[in-house]
Amino acid sequence: RKNRFHADCNVDGYYNRVTDKIIAIPNKNLFIWSMINFGEVEIAGVDVNASILYQIIKQLKIELNGSYGYQYAVDISDSQSKTYRHQIPYTPLHSGSVSVSVRTPWVDFCYTLMVSGSRFTLQQNVKSNLLAPYSDHGIVLSKDFKLKKITLGGKIELLNLADKHYEIIRNYPMQGRSVRVSVIFGY
């Protein structure tokens, strides 16, 4: 009898000192970006990924996936600078995601939650440069069909369920609730 339960967890830690770290920051509008060269950046972090798969019956599976990232990325170019040991722009200290999938013979269902901590939009870590944390919820219904050597699939996604107008980049809010329909063809 096949194992009906499977769990997996990976934890990765890292430490880097990067010379000439280039960061792109939007300038006056989304189409004009400035490149900033941080002379030296210290980056330390941990990434945790976990998944659990449970097969209820032969054609019914539930899968839970989760991830968490901690990234401390600070400017260490000049100890006399106002930005010494400040988190580099658009790099959240904390981020993560969770998804729950139910796979059936008829349709696959997936709920996702993505979370990002607050970020700074410029080099100085001051309140006026702080971008609020955000979360984004979504639901996906999908189905794949095999016809000899051809694979056809369809997907309907309901994005940003909470209809929140959060910003990934300052002054450019993400769209509210939306629906995306996809047809996939493979051979």
Side-chain angles (χ1 to χ4, degrees), residues 9-15 44-50 67-71:
C9 183
N10 297 310
V11 179
D12 296 312
Y14 53 89
Y15 177 83
V46 175
D47 290 328
V48 180
N49 294 290
S67 68
Y68 167 76
Y70 170 84
Q71 186 175 51

Side-chain angles (χ1 to χ4, degrees), residues 3-185:
N3 189 0
R4 293 172 35 164
F5 178 81
H6 178 79
D8 190 21
C9 183
N10 297 310
V11 179
D12 296 312
Y14 53 89
Y15 177 83
N16 296 302
R17 284 181 83 116
V18 179
T19 303
D20 294 325
K21 173 83 171 155
I22 307 295
I23 302 284
I25 297 176
N27 193 0
K28 294 182 179 165
N29 65 49
L30 195 56
F31 303 105
I32 300 174
W33 291 63
S34 295
M35 301 302 159
I36 297 174
N37 184 345
F38 289 90
E40 194 167 4
V41 174
E42 180 180 68
I43 304 169
V46 175
D47 290 328
V48 180
N49 294 290
S51 67
I52 297 171
L53 176 65
Y54 182 66
Q55 184 173 341
I56 297 171
I57 57 174
K58 185 177 180 180
Q59 297 181 344
L60 180 60
K61 297 177 185 174
I62 295 178
E63 185 172 7
L64 175 63
N65 291 297
S67 68
Y68 167 76
Y70 170 84
Q71 186 175 51
Y72 177 75
V74 294
D75 179 10
I76 58 170
S77 303
D78 177 4
S79 62
Q80 304 304 309
S81 170
K82 290 182 188 179
T83 63
Y84 184 69
R85 293 223 161 265
H86 284 212
Q87 187 81 355
I88 60 176
Y90 289 102
T91 305
L93 198 57
H94 304 280
S95 61
S97 66
V98 174
S99 70
V100 178
S101 300
V102 178
R103 298 183 195 152
T104 73
W106 311 282
V107 68
D108 294 342
F109 169 85
C110 182
Y111 165 79
T112 60
L113 167 64
M114 183 180 63
V115 177
S116 177
S118 57
R119 291 100 51 231
F120 292 95
T121 59
L122 296 172
Q123 296 94 316
Q124 278 191 302
N125 292 177
V126 295
K127 190 174 182 177
S128 61
N129 292 337
L130 191 63
L131 199 55
Y134 68 89
S135 62
D136 189 354
H137 305 262
I139 293 177
V140 178
L141 296 172
S142 62
K143 178 66 180 164
D144 290 333
F145 304 93
K146 266 216 171 293
L147 306 168
K148 295 186 182 182
K149 294 182 180 183
I150 297 172
T151 302
L152 289 173
K155 186 188 311 185
I156 299 173
E157 299 171 272
L158 183 55
L159 306 168
N160 194 358
L161 283 175
D163 199 27
K164 297 277 182 163
H165 295 277
Y166 59 89
E167 295 177 331
I168 294 176
I169 298 170
R170 173 153 294 182
N171 299 321
Y172 295 94
M174 298 300 290
Q175 69 182 18
R177 188 177 303 117
S178 62
V179 176
R180 180 170 44 202
V181 177
S182 306
V183 176
I184 299 124
F185 174 79

